[in-house]
Amino acid sequence: MVINRRLTLQRKIILEYLQNVKTHPTAEEVFNNVKIKIPKITLATIYRNLQILAKEKQAERLEVNGQFHFDGDLDPHIHFICKNCQIIKDLFYDDLVHYFEKKMETSGFSIKNFKIQCEGICKNCTQEA
Amino acid sequence: MVINRRLTLQRKIILEYLQNVKTHPTAEEVFNNVKIKIPKITLATIYRNLQILAKEKQAERLEVNGQFHFDGDLDPHIHFICKNCQIIKDLFYDDLVHYFEKKMETSGFSIKNFKIQCEGICKNCTQEA
DNA sequence: CTAACTGCAAACAATTTGCATACCG
DNA sequence: CGGTATGCAAATTGTTTGCAGTTAG
């Protein structure tokens, strides 16, 4: 039951967009942006491809306040969500990631992937208060 | 715009159920269980209350494989999801939690709450393989 | 050539809403 | 009593599917 994926233009543009943007777009936002380059693309195609990309670990799906967002950055990192401005910020804290992986392994779990996300107030918003 | 919540029987039973169960039920599962005690309750009431409980931090909502689950345990902990048997296991690794909180704070973030969840194969399933 | 993919429209599941009634404080 | 919550049914949102035509490898 192995599927031989084809790199269609649609999939290529979607992936490129996810890899170049730093805003963690929703399916809708991916749609609006990809539509600029492929005007007749439909939401169904966006959904189908996002699902494929997530399943094949070329992108990550994350949930924030009930909405799904997508991230093309595969480097393990933490997502920080500001409760004020709603920005989703990437934090590449390698020591934290390592501590976490180590802990899980010494506890007897073989982990495949993980998600760490936290909410608070970002530096920008703290200053303005 | 402060709302004066009332502790209705429905809300009470839902919360009690979440606090006593260790399986991280979905809204549907909460519904099926609460219905035993309150036969004429509806899904709408379940959804309304789960939303309120999550917003007021009396329960936590987590997302696993596109489905939302609820957890009445407020103690900060990690969720481990077994890719084989699909169990959602709570891990109370205080050192990990502290390391994480410390790191975030020394990095200049004031964090309100966080979610850590990871996927892998649980001990039970590893033995059986 | 042919299996994988697309666009389109229709179907679907999960969640939310409007409203009249019930009930907590 | 007043405002919050409920049950019911209908509406809405986000996502998925079937199908005929298109395309990458």
Side-chain angles (χ1 to χ4, degrees):
Chain A
M1 217 213 133
V2 174
I3 286 178
N4 227 336
R5 300 265 174 235
R6 276 165 30 191
L7 187 58
T8 57
L9 179 64
Q10 288 81 342
R11 182 127 73 235
K12 187 164 170 290
I13 301 284
I14 291 171
L15 186 53
E16 270 174 20
Y17 173 62
L18 285 181
Q19 286 169 343
N20 292 326
V21 82
K22 49 268 145 270
T23 54
H24 312 83
T26 60
E28 200 78 33
E29 288 164 349
V30 173
F31 177 56
N32 290 329
N33 275 277
V34 171
K35 208 164 40 172
I36 297 169
K37 295 195 177 170
I38 309 178
K40 50 171 32 188
I41 199 169
T42 60
L43 251 181
T45 299
I46 300 291
Y47 276 110
R48 275 187 287 235
N49 278 294
L50 288 175
Q51 199 171 20
I52 289 168
L53 292 173
K55 188 171 304 182
E56 318 227 313
K57 305 272 182 248
Q58 300 206 247
E60 189 192 340
R61 190 181 70 174
L62 51 140
E63 179 261 323
V64 178
N65 296 138
Q67 278 213 306
F68 289 114
H69 297 252
F70 295 84
D71 187 349
D73 191 335
L74 299 174
D75 234 26
H77 59 277
I78 292 124
H79 287 122
F80 177 87
I81 300 113
C82 178
K83 298 192 90 150
N84 187 234
C85 68
Q86 300 298 320
I87 196 179
I88 302 174
K89 194 165 170 28
D90 292 324
L91 303 176
F92 296 88
Y93 294 162
D94 288 350
D95 59 329
L96 189 47
V97 168
H98 289 141
Y99 188 100
F100 179 70
E101 288 175 337
K102 202 85 185 170
K103 175 70 183 182
M104 293 303 292
E105 270 161 38
T106 57
S107 301
F109 292 95
S110 78
I111 69 174
K112 293 280 186 300
N113 62 74
F114 61 88
K115 277 176 200 175
I116 301 181
Q117 75 189 48
C118 64
E119 291 187 324
I121 305 294
C122 74
K123 296 175 188 177
N124 269 356
C125 290
T126 304
Q127 289 172 350
E128 285 165 15
Chain B
M1 217 216 133
V2 175
I3 286 180
N4 226 336
R5 300 264 174 236
R6 277 166 29 195
L7 186 57
T8 59
L9 179 64
Q10 287 81 344
R11 184 128 70 233
K12 189 165 168 289
I13 301 285
I14 291 171
L15 185 53
E16 271 174 19
Y17 173 62
L18 286 180
Q19 286 170 343
N20 292 326
V21 83
K22 50 267 147 271
T23 53
H24 314 82
T26 60
E28 200 78 32
E29 288 164 346
V30 173
F31 177 56
N32 290 328
N33 275 276
V34 170
K35 208 164 39 172
I36 296 170
K37 294 192 179 172
I38 310 178
K40 52 171 32 185
I41 200 169
T42 61
L43 251 182
T45 299
I46 301 290
Y47 276 110
R48 275 187 287 235
N49 278 295
L50 288 175
Q51 200 171 19
I52 289 168
L53 292 173
K55 187 171 302 178
E56 319 226 313
K57 305 275 182 244
Q58 301 206 248
E60 189 193 339
R61 190 181 69 174
L62 52 140
E63 179 260 322
V64 177
N65 296 140
Q67 276 213 306
F68 289 114
H69 296 252
F70 294 85
D71 188 347
D73 191 335
L74 300 174
D75 233 28
H77 60 276
I78 292 123
H79 287 122
F80 177 87
I81 300 112
C82 178
K83 299 191 92 149
N84 185 234
C85 68
Q86 300 299 319
I87 195 177
I88 302 173
K89 194 164 170 30
D90 293 324
L91 302 176
F92 296 89
Y93 294 162
D94 288 351
D95 60 327
L96 187 47
V97 168
H98 288 140
Y99 188 99
F100 180 70
E101 288 175 337
K102 202 84 187 170
K103 176 71 182 182
M104 292 304 293
E105 269 159 39
T106 58
S107 301
F109 292 96
S110 78
I111 69 173
K112 293 279 187 297
N113 62 71
F114 61 88
K115 277 176 201 177
I116 301 181
Q117 75 188 47
C118 63
E119 290 188 324
I121 305 293
C122 74
K123 297 175 188 178
N124 269 357
C125 290
T126 304
Q127 289 172 349
E128 284 165 18

